[in-house]
Amino acid sequence: MATSFSPATHIRSSIFHKPNSSNTKTFLSIPFPLASSQRSFTSASHYVTLKLTPTFKPFQIRRTPFVKAATIEEIEAEKASIEKYVKNRMEKTIENIRSNFNSIRTGRSNPSMLDKIEVEYYGSPVSLKSIAQISTPDASSLLVQPYDKSSLKAIEKAIVSSDVGMTPNNDGEVIRLSIPLLTSDRRKEMSKIVAKQAEEGKVALRNIRRDALKSYEKLEKEKKLSEDNVKDLSSDLQKLTDEYIKKVETIYKQKEKELLTV
C-alpha cells in the first residue's frame, strides 16, 4: 500500500529523516540492494511513487579459443623424427662421397670405377652393373661380362661415351678394359678433384645441421621446446655433424693416398 504524506511535507525529508512519532508511525525504508540504483519520484497530491532504474549491464562472456598443448610423447616423437631424418641425410651424403671417389680411377682396377655408366637397354637407361658382371682379373684391367650378349654393343658404346678414360675391347663374348697408368701431373689433378668433392660433402653436412636447427627453433616458437632444450639438442647436433665430417676426412685421406701412390 502507498504511504500517505501531507502535501506540505518535503519528499527528501519524508524518506531519509525519521518522522516524529507523534505524527506517524509509518516511514519508508529502502532496502540495501536498491540503494545503488537510480531513484526517481512522481508525486500526486497525497502519494509518492518510487521508480527504480537498474544501472548494471548484463555480463558479457568472452570466449577464449581452446588450444591443445602437445603431450610429452608427441614432443619426443617430433624430436626423434628430426634426429632420424638428419642421420639418414648424413648417411646418404657419405654414400655419395664414396661413390664419387670410387668413380675416380687411381691406376688400380676397381669395379666401382664403372658405377656411373648407364646403358641404353631396350629403350631405357639402366646401370651397367645391373645388366653385366664386372670383375678384376688383375690390378690393371677390368672384365665386363653381360648377362645378355645382345647388349654388348650398347655396353661398348656407353663406355666409349663416358669419361672413364678407357678404351673397351669387345671380343663378342666379353669386354676387356685396360687401365692406363696415371702420370704424376694427372695424379695431382685428380687429387684436387677429390679434395673439392670432400669439401662439398662437408658443406652438405653443415646444411643438414642448419635445417635441423630451424626445425628445433620452430618447435621452440610453438612452445613445444624450451630454450634449454634447444641448446642441448643443438649441442648434440653439432657433435653428430663433427662425427660425420671426420668420416669425410677419413675417406678423403684414404682416396688421396691411393691417388698419390705409384
Side-chain angles (χ1 to χ4, degrees):
M1 184 178 77
T3 305
S4 176
F5 290 91
S6 169
T9 305
H10 196 275
I11 293 175
R12 181 179 296 274
S13 61
S14 300
I15 295 176
F16 295 99
H17 297 283
K18 184 176 180 180
N20 192 348
S21 59
S22 61
N23 298 330
T24 180
K25 293 184 180 181
T26 305
F27 60 91
L28 181 65
S29 62
I30 301 176
F32 176 74
L34 301 180
S36 61
S37 304
Q38 295 179 357
R39 294 176 292 272
S40 63
F41 301 91
T42 302
S43 61
S45 58
H46 295 285
Y47 299 96
V48 173
T49 304
L50 178 63
K51 295 182 179 180
L52 300 176
T53 305
T55 59
F56 67 89
K57 296 181 179 179
F59 291 105
Q60 296 181 352
I61 301 175
R62 294 182 179 180
R63 298 184 179 274
T64 304
F66 177 74
V67 179
K68 181 183 177 182
T71 64
I72 296 177
E73 291 77 9
E74 291 173 338
I75 295 173
E76 290 298 326
E78 286 200 58
K79 286 165 55 180
S81 176
I82 294 172
E83 291 171 1
K84 182 179 179 181
Y85 178 69
V86 167
K87 288 183 179 180
N88 287 340
R89 285 186 63 187
M90 289 188 174
E91 281 294 337
K92 287 182 180 179
T93 300
I94 296 297
E95 290 175 7
N96 289 336
I97 293 172
R98 283 199 177 103
S99 177
N100 291 335
F101 284 1
N102 289 337
S103 65
I104 298 175
R105 59 188 182 90
T106 61
R108 294 184 179 182
S109 60
N110 188 337
S112 59
M113 296 170 67
L114 305 180
D115 280 353
K116 291 189 175 182
I117 295 180
E118 289 190 342
V119 182
E120 192 74 17
Y121 187 62
Y122 287 103
S124 300
V126 296
S127 63
L128 174 58
K129 61 183 179 181
S130 68
I131 62 172
Q133 181 180 355
I134 305 171
S135 58
T136 55
D138 52 59
S140 60
S141 65
L142 290 170
L143 184 67
V144 180
Q145 186 173 3
Y147 302 123
D148 179 7
K149 291 182 180 180
S150 65
S151 64
L152 273 170
K153 287 291 183 182
I155 293 174
E156 182 180 5
K157 181 181 178 180
I159 294 174
V160 172
S161 302
S162 69
D163 59 354
V164 295
M166 292 180 282
T167 303
N169 181 10
N170 183 0
D171 65 3
E173 295 289 334
V174 295
I175 293 177
R176 289 182 174 84
L177 299 169
S178 296
I179 302 173
L181 295 176
L182 294 176
T183 63
S184 178
D185 291 341
R186 181 59 177 167
R187 289 178 186 276
K188 290 179 181 179
E189 183 181 344
M190 299 297 285
S191 180
K192 290 180 181 179
I193 294 174
V194 169
K196 182 181 178 181
Q197 291 179 349
E199 188 58 36
E200 289 173 351
K202 292 177 184 178
V203 172
L205 292 173
R206 295 188 185 104
N207 288 340
I208 295 171
R209 172 185 173 275
R210 178 201 60 199
D211 293 343
L213 284 176
K214 288 182 179 179
S215 298
Y216 289 142
E217 289 170 359
K218 182 182 177 183
L219 291 177
E220 182 183 4
K221 288 180 180 179
E222 295 173 352
K223 306 300 181 182
K224 294 181 180 179
L225 291 178
S226 67
E227 184 178 353
D228 290 339
N229 291 148
V230 174
K231 286 181 179 179
D232 293 340
L233 291 170
S234 300
S235 178
D236 293 340
L237 186 59
Q238 184 60 57
K239 291 177 183 178
L240 183 65
T241 305
D242 293 341
E243 178 184 337
Y244 276 88
I245 286 178
K246 286 181 180 178
K247 288 183 179 181
V248 174
E249 282 290 336
T250 300
I251 299 170
Y252 162 66
K253 289 179 179 179
Q254 182 180 356
K255 189 64 178 181
E256 185 183 39
K257 184 179 179 181
E258 290 177 6
L259 283 169
L260 298 179
T261 300
V262 180

